[in-house]
Amino acid sequence: MGASLSPRSAQVIDLETVRQRQQAQKCLIRLAPELDGLEMVYQLAASPDTYYGLPILAWGLQENGNVIGLVPWMEKLAACHELDSHENGQFIGYRDPETEEIFALPPDHKYDELMASASYFEYEASGDITLIQQLPDTLGTHALCMNHPDAPWNMKQVYGWRLYSDGSVEAVLADEQQATMSPILLGDKCLYDAHSRHRTVYFFQRHIASRIMDEDPATLEALAMMVVPNKEG
C-alpha cells in the first residue's frame, strides 16, 4: 500500500535569502571601547607552543544579541572569534593581563554596557546608510594604503572608527593638508573613511608600523610577501 500524500504543497527554500538573513543577524549595531587592557590570545602554526597577545580595540554588539571582541587585523576590523588561519593567526580566547586569566567568552560587564547603550541610543532604520557611532583609536593603529599594486604605498595613522547603520565599520584617516587644528580629533573636517580614497588598506599595530616606516629589512620582506598575492589577484 502506497504512502499517503501530504495535502500541504512543497516549499522551496531560497538558500541565498536564508544566508542573507543569517548575515544580517551578525551585523554590528553598537560598539564599546576596551579601556582595561584586555587582549585577544592567538596562535600561529609556525610557533605551536607559543601564545600571542593582541590588545582589543573594542567590543561589538550584533543584531542577534551576541557580543564579540574586535581587533584591527589585516584588511578590516575583525571579530576575534572568527580568526581561524594557521598561517596568520588562530583565535584561542580572551586574556586579562592583570590576572593572566584566559576566557572563551567576552566579559559580562561588556554585554551589560552594550545592551544598555543600544537601548538608550536606539535608532530608527531607514533606507539611507547613516553614521551610528564613532570611536577613537586607542591602540596607535596605522593603515598601509595603496591605490594600485604598482603605485607607492602610504602609511597613515588611524584616528578612529566609524560604525554605519548597515553594520559596516570604516577606519578614519586624516588629510593632513586640510587639518586646521592640532591635535586632530574625531569630527574634524580633514578626516575621511579609509576606503573612500584607498583601494586597499592593511592595518598594523604601532610598533610594526614604526618598523615599516623605518624600513626595517626583515619587516619589509614580510610585508612584501603579504602584499604580493594581492597584486597577482
Side-chain angles (χ1 to χ4, degrees):
M1 184 175 179
S4 60
L5 298 177
S6 170
R8 298 170 56 187
S9 59
Q11 294 183 347
V12 178
I13 300 176
D14 187 340
L15 295 181
E16 179 61 21
T17 299
V18 173
R19 186 193 68 81
Q20 292 178 357
R21 189 176 302 155
Q22 291 176 340
Q23 190 63 32
Q25 290 295 309
K26 295 182 179 181
C27 280
L28 291 169
I29 61 173
R30 196 72 191 168
L31 300 175
E34 171 49 48
L35 301 176
D36 296 305
L38 298 184
E39 299 176 340
M40 174 189 77
V41 178
Y42 67 99
Q43 193 175 39
L44 300 173
S47 306
D49 297 326
T50 303
Y51 287 160
Y52 298 90
L54 181 66
I56 294 171
L57 173 76
W59 303 89
L61 176 64
Q62 296 178 315
E63 182 73 35
N64 59 14
N66 288 339
V67 171
I68 58 175
L70 297 165
V71 292
W73 188 268
M74 301 294 284
E75 298 180 70
K76 63 180 181 179
L77 186 64
C80 297
H81 71 282
E82 293 181 352
L83 301 181
D84 191 21
S85 168
H86 289 288
E87 181 179 355
N88 296 321
Q90 189 170 33
F91 175 72
I92 300 298
Y94 303 108
R95 175 176 179 265
D96 184 340
E98 185 173 343
T99 64
E100 298 189 354
E101 176 189 4
I102 295 179
F103 40 96
L105 299 175
D108 291 341
H109 69 274
K110 281 299 175 183
Y111 176 83
D112 295 338
E113 176 184 347
L114 281 162
M115 290 298 292
S117 177
S119 177
Y120 182 84
F121 291 104
E122 185 176 5
Y123 67 93
E124 296 182 2
S126 66
D128 298 328
I129 297 177
T130 57
L131 178 63
I132 298 299
Q133 193 178 5
Q134 295 190 94
L135 290 186
D137 184 277
T138 56
L139 304 180
T141 308
H142 280 66
L144 185 146
C145 307
M146 295 182 292
N147 293 326
H148 189 276
D150 296 321
W153 51 262
N154 187 17
M155 184 70 75
K156 298 180 71 68
Q157 179 180 344
V158 175
Y159 286 90
W161 302 83
R162 291 172 175 166
L163 171 64
Y164 288 93
S165 56
D166 64 350
S168 62
V169 180
E170 273 284 356
V172 180
L173 309 179
D175 184 337
E176 288 82 3
Q177 294 182 345
Q178 295 185 6
T180 58
M181 298 184 67
S182 180
I184 296 172
L185 301 177
L186 288 183
D188 288 358
K189 294 182 179 180
C190 65
L191 297 175
Y192 64 92
D193 290 353
H195 286 99
S196 68
R197 297 193 187 182
H198 307 293
R199 177 180 176 183
T200 304
V201 179
Y202 287 98
F203 297 112
F204 293 94
Q205 300 173 53
R206 181 174 59 175
H207 67 282
I208 299 297
S210 178
R211 292 179 190 173
I212 294 174
M213 290 185 286
D214 290 341
E215 298 185 355
D216 173 69
T219 305
L220 291 180
E221 181 180 355
L223 175 64
M225 293 179 63
M226 180 186 74
V227 174
V228 165
N230 183 68
K231 178 179 178 180
E232 293 177 349

